Amino acid sequence: MPVAGNVAIVGSAATVFGVHHELGYLDLLEDASRRAIEDAGLQNQDVEAAWLSTAVTDVVALEGESGSPITERLDFAPRPVTRVSAYCASGMEAVRNAAISIAAGEYEVVLAVGAEKMRDVTPRGSLVARTGNMTHPTLTKGRTGPGFFALLASRYLDTFNRTTDDLSAVAVKNHEHATRNPIAQYNEPVTAEQVRSSAMIADPLRVLDCTPTTDGAAAVVLASVEWAKKSGRPYAVLSGVGFSVMDGYYSGLYNPENDFLGFRATREASKVAYAQAGIHTPREQLDLVECHDCFTITEILNYEDLGLCGRGEGWKLLLDGATTIGGDIPVNLSGGLQSCGHPIGATGVRVVKEVADQMIGRAGGRQVAGAKHGVAHTLGGPGILSCVMVISAAE
Amino acid sequence: MPVAGNVAIVGSAATVFGVHHELGYLDLLEDASRRAIEDAGLQNQDVEAAWLSTAVTDVVALEGESGSPITERLDFAPRPVTRVSAYCASGMEAVRNAAISIAAGEYEVVLAVGAEKMRDVTPRGSLVARTGNMTHPTLTKGRTGPGFFALLASRYLDTFNRTTDDLSAVAVKNHEHATRNPIAQYNEPVTAEQVRSSAMIADPLRVLDCTPTTDGAAAVVLASVEWAKKSGRPYAVLSGVGFSVMDGYYSGLYNPENDFLGFRATREASKVAYAQAGIHTPREQLDLVECHDCFTITEILNYEDLGLCGRGEGWKLLLDGATTIGGDIPVNLSGGLQSCGHPIGATGVRVVKEVADQMIGRAGGRQVAGAKHGVAHTLGGPGILSCVMVISAAE
């Protein structure tokens, strides 16, 4: 049977996202996994297989290059564990592959977990240093994450005659949302003036336009909808899943079809996910979206790529308040990557958990009443790949 | 539907395994993939999704950390590509996950490809150097691949009162087999005396007890058995798939249940695969085996772990000639890792291709007449994980 409509999220958990010098990679992984399994009303032995997402294995050394960390900490032997990586979309790849195994009927109950330690690296181990060590030193001179997205921001502001105040509005909104999310790395509100006066990282992006560097883990337990129904416990349904890879890591930068005003990977992935889920008018049919706000500009571009508005109109959706809590299509109620941080392998699993929690009605102070359909989205690499999942309330 | 019995291998290809300073990672990947797709009578556009195995991304830098290399070279956009890694079993993880997607009916035709460049690294980029850089320098002093397997070899020879001549017999056999395999890195025979007098690497393992360092890629195309039947083209069937992860990367070394005379991961994985495929008496029912002979001792241990003989009897099976071409259970007719080399991400896909070719009856000079069931096996990390697939002839 296809994944769409047939696979349920029956348990989930996440660690607090933040600076965890006191906890190792295995500790984070174990905590999120055990609590997700408990949340499904199960024990470790009930879970038949697992998928692990870790994007950057430097901190966990050779251990993170297979699924064995799960085995080590969850008494999981001799079960299969698969490790996937897809840059910033890694977590959703773990969920997607785990979901496919449920759709196959190969397993009844599986775990998808993502974890990343990003605060235990020295400057020589940072993502920027790694880019230089593994590629060419000149690539670290500007072609960093902030540097790349700064170019998109400049182009967007110029093309649509906007100012950096629009970018600030994303940060202000998401930090306000995060005051309602106990696992967010930062849950104090910030003002537009604070964003505006924060340190410049890559013009026009300032510190408060960027996701922070973070440790964390998140896990979900998946089963068939049939199994979930029988369990009598709350669950959410994966009603559409699209994953799209558009270019090679560098080739996307030279793709003449790339206008650098959005990401085709997201447009293609959402096309697939929406078709499966019967979403024709996203802004009307969706109750909320969790999308990849690695930088403030990214969220505005995502509005457009996810079809919440036309191209060049994302800033308007934002300024109109439509994407703020209480608006007709709230985006990043969790606080997003801006406030939760972005432990790469964990993020995709966290956003799936966040939307599933909304569909189950247990999102606490940020709950959208009666939410029926939400989108979980991550964008990876230099925008070359993207995963979009439509997650729906149980019928 | 379950994977076992329902998923077919409908196309395959591999590059020559060897030293390819003239070809990059993307070149190898593209060559194997395009030819596997052609072998299935298809075009790139007919393939709906792909799984990529690359274990060590240092040479290909950041590009290898997602599935995007396939997209770049196969005009594959906007299709999904998943990257998996599981140490030396990475290739079979790509095949396994791809097979699950076919069983789910999520896709009709998918690609699984593995590639690795291992000859373009400087000494500072070698696996040994990496272990030191990513873990602790003392871990490179002896606890290398050869060092670890040398301890198992010593223990085995001591426990069962054998000599290094038994180890040499594995190398002699596999190099003899490789004379019939045009893609092997080395396809000249070697004598026992040559093995005995080759340079010592980690006592008792000499150069000719070890797999060489190699570049290469291999690819298979998977579809449902139903689809394969309709195609009217030759195919083989995945009749059993077991993947087992037993310990963490280091914790296996301290597991009190580990007797270092074999690998429980292989025993557990074969138990699952054999049960699915209805294999009760492996030596009688199997026509051939491709197993993970990263070192000569590993092949002898595999005989026992795969149930071809009792524990402590692997050397006898070997010396009796049962595992040599013409014997009743020939092992590593391809020449194995000893002769083909071991481009890590590619190996698991290559062994699946090798067994499938035997089941289709196109293994050339090394064909086992009328072969009905074969095993493809890889062992990963310090023996902590293993994949076993039973591959059968179409009925």
Side-chain angles (χ1 to χ4, degrees):
Chain A
M1 62 190 186
V3 169
N6 292 308
V7 178
I9 298 154
V10 300
S12 70
T15 65
V16 169
F17 276 33
V19 181
H20 286 297
H21 291 310
E22 81 289 6
L23 296 173
Y25 170 79
L26 294 176
D27 301 321
L28 295 169
L29 192 62
E30 177 179 351
D31 178 56
S33 300
R34 284 195 188 275
R35 289 194 293 111
I37 294 167
E38 277 171 31
D39 184 48
L42 299 171
Q43 298 189 316
N44 293 353
Q45 287 68 27
D46 301 321
V47 176
E48 293 162 81
W51 276 259
L52 169 65
S53 150
T54 294
V56 182
T57 56
D58 295 37
V59 177
V60 295
L62 307 175
E63 286 184 294
E65 297 186 349
S66 83
S68 69
I70 291 181
T71 306
E72 177 155 13
R73 281 299 183 94
L74 293 188
D75 312 318
F76 209 66
R79 295 170 177 76
V81 189
T82 299
R83 184 234 166 180
V84 296
S85 63
Y87 309 130
C88 300
S90 296
M92 289 179 77
E93 267 293 75
V95 175
R96 191 177 74 97
N97 279 267
I100 291 172
S101 82
I102 293 295
E106 189 74 10
Y107 307 110
E108 279 210 311
V109 177
V110 302
L111 176 73
V113 55
E116 205 92 42
K117 285 288 287 182
M118 301 191 68
R119 294 295 300 228
D120 289 348
V121 291
T122 60
R124 287 184 60 187
S126 73
L127 285 179
V128 172
R130 240 173 115 245
T131 303
N133 292 335
M134 293 178 71
T135 58
H136 192 279
T138 58
L139 283 178
T140 64
K141 309 301 178 202
R143 207 215 141 288
T144 59
F148 174 68
F149 281 90
L151 293 173
L152 278 101
S154 296
R155 187 180 183 101
Y156 189 90
L157 299 183
D158 182 62
T159 304
F160 301 114
N161 198 24
R162 307 307 308 164
T163 72
T164 54
D165 285 353
D166 300 357
L167 305 180
S168 303
V170 174
V172 170
K173 170 182 75 71
N174 289 356
H175 282 276
E176 171 59 34
H177 288 170
T179 63
R180 300 167 178 81
N181 185 4
I183 72 151
Q185 180 166 8
Y186 296 109
N187 36 31
E188 294 291 325
V190 302
T191 63
E193 181 47 34
Q194 281 177 297
V195 183
R196 227 178 271 133
S197 61
S198 65
M200 184 63 82
I201 298 296
D203 192 359
L205 300 178
R206 296 174 177 275
V207 161
L208 287 173
D209 289 293
C210 307
T211 179
T213 309
T214 310
D215 302 325
V220 296
V221 176
L222 303 176
S224 66
V225 165
E226 194 188 9
W227 187 98
K229 274 183 186 156
K230 278 190 203 148
S231 77
R233 299 175 69 95
Y235 65 92
V237 178
L238 276 178
S239 49
V241 179
F243 180 60
S244 180
V245 185
M246 287 306 305
D247 293 286
Y249 192 83
Y250 302 107
S251 56
L253 302 176
Y254 304 100
N255 187 336
E257 290 174 14
N258 190 343
D259 65 5
F260 295 95
L261 288 169
F263 297 99
R264 195 177 149 203
T266 298
R267 298 194 289 277
E268 294 287 347
S270 62
K271 202 186 293 177
V272 173
Y274 290 169
Q276 290 177 359
I279 301 291
H280 312 292
T281 52
R283 184 162 172 190
E284 281 75 50
Q285 289 177 275
L286 297 174
D287 299 296
L288 56 101
V289 168
E290 285 284 314
C291 73
H292 200 78
D293 57 326
C294 50
F295 300 95
T296 47
I297 182 63
T298 327
E299 179 166 319
I300 296 175
L301 297 173
N302 287 337
Y303 294 169
E304 305 176 12
D305 289 333
L306 289 168
L308 307 181
C309 61
R311 301 210 77 191
E313 296 174 355
W315 60 272
K316 195 162 183 305
L317 197 72
L318 172 72
L319 298 188
D320 286 351
T323 61
T324 308
I325 188 165
D328 64 23
I329 178 74
V331 175
N332 287 326
L333 286 162
S334 69
L337 279 60
Q338 295 284 319
S339 313
C340 293
H342 181 28
I344 306 181
T347 288
V349 186
R350 181 190 64 75
V351 299
V352 168
K353 169 187 165 42
E354 180 71 21
V355 179
D357 280 347
Q358 287 278 357
M359 295 305 130
I360 292 169
R362 61 175 195 181
R366 57 195 190 282
Q367 180 67 45
V368 174
K372 292 285 177 235
H373 304 289
V375 155
H377 162 258
T378 43
L379 182 73
I384 58 168
L385 53 83
S386 176
C387 193
V388 173
M389 293 187 181
V390 180
I391 301 173
S392 303
E395 285 184 359
Chain B
M1 62 190 186
V3 169
N6 293 309
V7 177
I9 298 154
V10 299
S12 70
T15 65
V16 169
F17 278 33
V19 181
H20 286 297
H21 291 309
E22 81 290 4
L23 294 173
Y25 170 79
L26 294 176
D27 300 321
L28 294 169
L29 191 63
E30 177 179 351
D31 178 56
S33 300
R34 283 195 188 275
R35 288 194 294 111
I37 294 167
E38 277 171 29
D39 185 47
L42 299 171
Q43 298 190 314
N44 295 352
Q45 287 68 26
D46 301 321
V47 177
E48 293 163 80
W51 276 258
L52 169 65
S53 151
T54 294
V56 182
T57 55
D58 294 37
V59 177
V60 293
L62 307 174
E63 286 185 294
E65 296 186 349
S66 82
S68 68
I70 291 181
T71 306
E72 177 155 13
R73 281 301 183 94
L74 292 188
D75 313 317
F76 209 65
R79 295 168 177 77
V81 189
T82 300
R83 183 234 166 178
V84 297
S85 64
Y87 310 130
C88 301
S90 296
M92 289 178 77
E93 266 293 74
V95 176
R96 191 178 73 97
N97 279 266
I100 291 172
S101 83
I102 293 295
E106 189 74 9
Y107 308 110
E108 279 210 311
V109 177
V110 302
L111 176 74
V113 54
E116 205 91 43
K117 284 289 286 181
M118 301 191 68
R119 296 293 303 229
D120 288 348
V121 290
T122 60
R124 288 182 60 187
S126 73
L127 284 178
V128 172
R130 239 173 116 245
T131 303
N133 292 337
M134 292 179 72
T135 57
H136 192 280
T138 59
L139 283 178
T140 62
K141 307 301 179 202
R143 205 215 143 287
T144 58
F148 175 68
F149 281 89
L151 293 173
L152 280 101
S154 296
R155 187 180 183 105
Y156 189 91
L157 298 183
D158 182 62
T159 303
F160 301 114
N161 197 27
R162 306 306 307 164
T163 72
T164 53
D165 285 352
D166 299 359
L167 304 180
S168 304
V170 174
V172 170
K173 170 182 75 71
N174 289 355
H175 282 276
E176 171 57 34
H177 288 170
T179 62
R180 299 168 179 79
N181 185 3
I183 72 151
Q185 180 166 8
Y186 296 108
N187 36 29
E188 294 291 325
V190 302
T191 64
E193 181 47 36
Q194 282 176 298
V195 183
R196 228 179 268 134
S197 61
S198 65
M200 184 64 80
I201 298 295
D203 192 0
L205 301 178
R206 296 175 176 275
V207 161
L208 286 173
D209 289 293
C210 308
T211 180
T213 309
T214 311
D215 303 325
V220 296
V221 176
L222 304 175
S224 65
V225 166
E226 193 187 7
W227 187 98
K229 275 183 186 157
K230 278 189 205 150
S231 78
R233 299 175 71 94
Y235 66 92
V237 178
L238 277 178
S239 51
V241 179
F243 180 60
S244 180
V245 185
M246 287 306 305
D247 293 286
Y249 193 84
Y250 302 107
S251 56
L253 302 176
Y254 303 100
N255 187 336
E257 290 173 15
N258 190 345
D259 65 5
F260 295 94
L261 287 169
F263 297 99
R264 197 179 148 203
T266 298
R267 297 195 289 278
E268 295 287 348
S270 62
K271 202 186 292 177
V272 173
Y274 289 170
Q276 290 176 359
I279 302 293
H280 312 292
T281 52
R283 184 163 171 190
E284 280 76 50
Q285 289 178 273
L286 297 175
D287 299 296
L288 56 101
V289 168
E290 284 284 314
C291 72
H292 201 80
D293 57 326
C294 49
F295 301 96
T296 48
I297 181 63
T298 327
E299 178 164 321
I300 296 174
L301 298 172
N302 288 336
Y303 293 168
E304 305 176 12
D305 289 333
L306 289 168
L308 307 181
C309 61
R311 303 210 75 192
E313 296 174 355
W315 61 272
K316 197 164 180 305
L317 197 71
L318 173 72
L319 298 188
D320 285 352
T323 60
T324 308
I325 188 163
D328 65 23
I329 179 74
V331 175
N332 287 326
L333 286 162
S334 69
L337 280 59
Q338 295 285 318
S339 313
C340 293
H342 181 28
I344 306 181
T347 288
V349 185
R350 181 190 64 77
V351 300
V352 167
K353 169 187 167 41
E354 180 70 22
V355 179
D357 279 347
Q358 287 278 356
M359 295 305 131
I360 292 169
R362 60 174 196 181
R366 55 195 192 282
Q367 180 67 44
V368 174
K372 292 285 178 234
H373 303 289
V375 154
H377 163 257
T378 43
L379 182 72
I384 58 169
L385 53 83
S386 176
C387 193
V388 174
M389 294 188 181
V390 180
I391 301 172
S392 303
E395 287 184 359

